[in-house]
Amino acid sequence: MEDTIFGKIARGEIAVERLYEDEWVVAFPDLSPQAPVHVLVIPKKPVKNILDLGPEDREMAGSLLLACAAVARKLGIDASGVRVVLNAGTDAGQTVWHLHAHVLGGRPLSWPPG
C-alpha cells in the first residue's frame, strides 16, 4: 500500500488536533467538514479499507468503532445522534486509500446519503 496523508498523521509526521488516541487509532477533525461535527478516525496500521481487514485486525477494528463512540460522547453528539461512515472503493467515495471512519453529527442528517 502506498503511503498517504493519513499514514503520515498516524505516525505523527503531520500535526493534527488529536481528539482521541489509543494504541490502535487516532481521531482528528476533518479539514473539509460535511456536518457541524465531522471527525475522522484512522488506524495507525496502514490498511486500505474495510475490505482489506483480516482476522488479525479484529482488535484494531473494534478499537476503531469504540473510538467513534468515544468521540461522539466527547463532542456531545451522542444524545442527538451520530452517523459513522466507512467508504470502501471509488464508487463508495473513498478518496484516501487508508481506512478511515467519518463520525458525523450536530444536525439532522438526511437519508439516503447519496
Side-chain angles (χ1 to χ4, degrees):
M1 188 175 110
E2 71 179 64
D3 198 18
T4 67
I5 189 167
F6 290 170
K8 293 174 183 174
I9 289 169
R11 292 189 305 273
E13 296 170 11
I14 296 176
V16 294
E17 178 188 0
R18 292 175 181 244
L19 299 171
Y20 177 92
E21 183 171 13
D22 65 22
E23 70 177 286
W24 300 103
V25 301
V26 176
F28 53 93
D30 192 299
L31 290 178
S32 181
Q34 303 301 304
V37 174
H38 188 168
V39 174
L40 299 175
V41 182
I42 64 170
K44 292 179 178 179
K45 175 184 176 183
V47 176
K48 187 165 102 177
N49 58 44
I50 61 169
L51 301 175
D52 283 359
L53 291 173
E56 69 280 4
D57 297 312
R58 184 177 311 275
E59 194 169 357
M60 179 269 289
S63 182
L64 184 100
L65 291 177
L66 291 171
C68 292
V71 165
R73 285 190 295 275
K74 178 178 181 172
L75 299 178
I77 59 171
D78 55 318
S80 61
V82 61
R83 179 173 293 165
V84 176
V85 177
L86 297 165
N87 298 318
T90 306
D91 282 355
Q94 185 176 6
T95 57
V96 179
W97 300 100
H98 185 120
L99 174 63
H100 55 287
H102 297 260
V103 179
L104 301 146
R107 67 167 170 81
L109 300 168
S110 62
W111 193 263

